Amino acid sequence: MDKESAKNKIEQLSKLIEEHNYNYYVLDQPTISDFEFDKLLEQLILLEKEYPEFLSPLSPSQRVGGQITKVFQSVKHQYPMLSLSNSYNDEDLIDFDRKVREGLGMNEADLFNEGIEYVCELKFDGLSIGLTYENGELKKAVTRGDGVQGDDVTTNAKTIGSIPLKLKGNFPANFEIRGEIFMPRKVFDEINKEREELGEAPLANPRNAASGTMKMQDSKVVAERNLDCILYFLLGEKLPYKSHYQSLEEVKKWGFKVDKNYKLCYNINDVFNFINYWDKERYNLPFDIDGIVIKVNSYKQQQQLGYTAKSPRWAIAYKFKAEQVSTVLDSISYQVGRTGAITPVANLKPVQLAGTVVKRASLHNADIIEKLDVRIGDTVFVEKGGEIIPKIIGVDLNNRKPESKTIEYIKTCPECNAPLIRKEGEALHYCLNENNCPPQVKGKIEHFVGRKAMNIDSLGAETIDQFYKAGLIKNIADLYELKKEQLLPLERMAEKSAQNIIDGINESKKVPFERVLFAIGIRHVGETTAKKIARKVKDIDLLIKNNKEELIQIDEVGETIAESILAFFNDEQNKNLINKLKQAGLQFKVSEEQLSAASNKLEGKTIVVSGVFNNHSRDQIKELIEMHGGKNSSSISKKTSFVLAGENMGPEKHKKAESLGVKIITEEDFEKMIN
Ligand code: IVH
């Protein structure tokens, strides 16, 4: 193929693919199979590889992702990104309508009369996004941020099929359009199912999932997450449209996805009807909404009404109440967490609630059960807010069976039968059999291999469970005795993954003392405390000899932590473990290198680290600060000695530092300071 025809072919293919994207993502009416579509895309990608000079940043091939955003640049919004004031009931809305009428100089007595047109829309529950187009091409996608400045997430936004990269029809040369990026419920459920299978914590709700996804550095992962985008607000200079409704009709023609459920209402009664309809119907939508947005339709009237500092006077959000249902409490089960904490869970007669079937609800702790006085067989009220796990909020006493008995909280651990303990002033019961209770043992090992501990990333929760069940590991020291030959017979264990696991375990022997001290899992000894202890005491043998008074001398160590450390080293099983780990070659002393690198050059200095750095990760920078006697802090105050700023330092932090006269230094300044 000659260059000219390659160029033409790339253009032609790009156009065709984008048309199919539009049919699929915007219209929801694909006209070819996924297979045929993939073939077209493959062809395009091949051609672009061969003729990279014709690869446009707006090519549909860019939608599959692959580009990494190291740092999300902060961008000032051309028009501030305001939010809406909220309303929760009819009175609030009548009040809004009255204020609108007043603001437009209409007679207040005209209430319920026609004269003002409102557009009612669904309130999509995602993250707001502003898309800027120039001459029909997507230039920028920016998140709300603080309303004045947001993050440039263009690379990630391009992976969203319903966001047009190039427009069609008769669009203005320059404009911004705002809308909501969200995760359809089906996608959300699939991701969580997968996470559950991998033993990972589920994502809390589709909104968090969407905003978390848009902040990911790898656009390929974003592309896989199948986000969607609905637009609802057009902004620009001297646009020729007279009303919001007209704008919505127009922007659809340019290729944007506008939700089809918006409606023109001629008085506040129509608005109530719209709200009541969607309050019930919302569960049949493929995405979450958390309310309705009501907007004055006419742009002239919008202009007359104007804005307060925070929100437009011409629009309001109506928030739905959390839905409640009643169902029967069948039984209560008790889960044992990694720390031995017991959580009671209600098993319910399955019931439809907020679009899903609910079978379980959290009961939190013994006090809550007592306060609710729930009993087996009771009819209970269940509510679901924005989160996945619903809660029991009350009991229908009219429906109580006379023979029902108050619940007696369990006294022994359901996993290992050890007696449960509840300490004075604490809400939760605990199983203290930490070295033999299965979920606790596995939890300890998971903590031990974690990123901030021994960082053995070839070992996940599922593998640990597998090894535990196979009897290969009963504690953290057993990891260092594992042989590849023992792993190979296990299900789904290939030569390569077995080798990776053994290598990862061996590599962890180099992890410095402070992280080993964190990894062994002394209750209350977190990452920071472990560092403080390691830096002060420097050797585990000395630490074991410390008495309570000596321990309390260490920064960050108080009564509770001191007692916990003493109890840990008093335990024969723990002593044994430490000895075995020592023999395996783990670091139980601060290394010579660490000793010689440390100084007190930053003693007495409180430092705030902000932004991204060239030569170090943020964690490394923070570590260096501590190694040289300084203190890390997250917020700027008069006490801050200086702010260590990398690229992309937050604008709010910058302002605050300047207004308090706190010095801002660079990574290079910092390096000079400590060397
Ligand atoms: S209009 C000037 N319309 O709700 C305000 N917002 O606090 C323009 N939202 O930030 C916003 N659905 O992220 C508008 N149909 C809709 C919406 C909507 C969801 C979000 C948006 C906004 C927040 C309100």
Side-chain angles (χ1 to χ4, degrees), residues 18-32 34 161-162 168 182 184 186 228-230 255-260 284-287:
E18 274 306 84
E19 198 55 41
H20 285 304
N21 263 330
Y22 176 76
N23 292 340
Y24 186 93
Y25 290 105
V26 180
L27 299 183
D28 204 9
Q29 284 163 356
T31 54
I32 58 169
D34 289 1
S162 48
K168 47 190 182 185
F182 60 94
K186 192 163 154 246
D228 203 345
C229 180
I230 285 179
F256 290 108
K257 183 163 182 165
V258 173
D259 178 56
K260 61 176 187 291
N284 296 324
L285 289 165
F287 45 76

Side-chain angles (χ1 to χ4, degrees), residues 80-86 120-129 144 178-180 230-233 244 290-293 295 307 310-312 314-315 317:
M81 218 163 181
L82 301 177
S83 61
L84 295 169
S85 54
N86 288 325
C120 284
E121 292 167 15
L122 307 184
K123 186 168 185 299
F124 313 100
D125 201 9
L127 71 145
S128 23
I129 192 80
R144 176 214 284 280
R178 290 187 181 160
E180 206 81 354
I230 285 179
L231 287 311
Y232 48 62
F233 189 20
H244 177 58
D290 61 340
I292 297 295
V293 180
K295 302 173 181 171
Y307 294 82
K310 283 194 227 131
S311 51
W314 46 262

Side-chain angles (χ1 to χ4, degrees), residues 329-337 340-347 360-370 374-376 405-418 420 427-431 437 439:
L329 175 65
D330 279 338
S331 64
I332 293 180
S333 18
Y334 297 85
Q335 289 176 344
V336 186
I342 310 291
T343 321
V345 177
N347 299 308
R360 285 144 70 81
S362 173
L363 277 168
H364 303 286
N365 57 50
D367 285 348
I368 302 264
I369 294 180
E370 197 183 314
V374 278
R375 303 178 184 189
I376 308 299
K405 289 198 205 77
T406 48
I407 284 170
E408 249 192 77
Y409 206 76
I410 49 164
K411 296 200 168 57
T412 55
C413 176
E415 297 272 352
C416 72
N417 263 326
L420 298 183
L428 295 178
H429 283 73
Y430 281 90
C431 164
C437 179

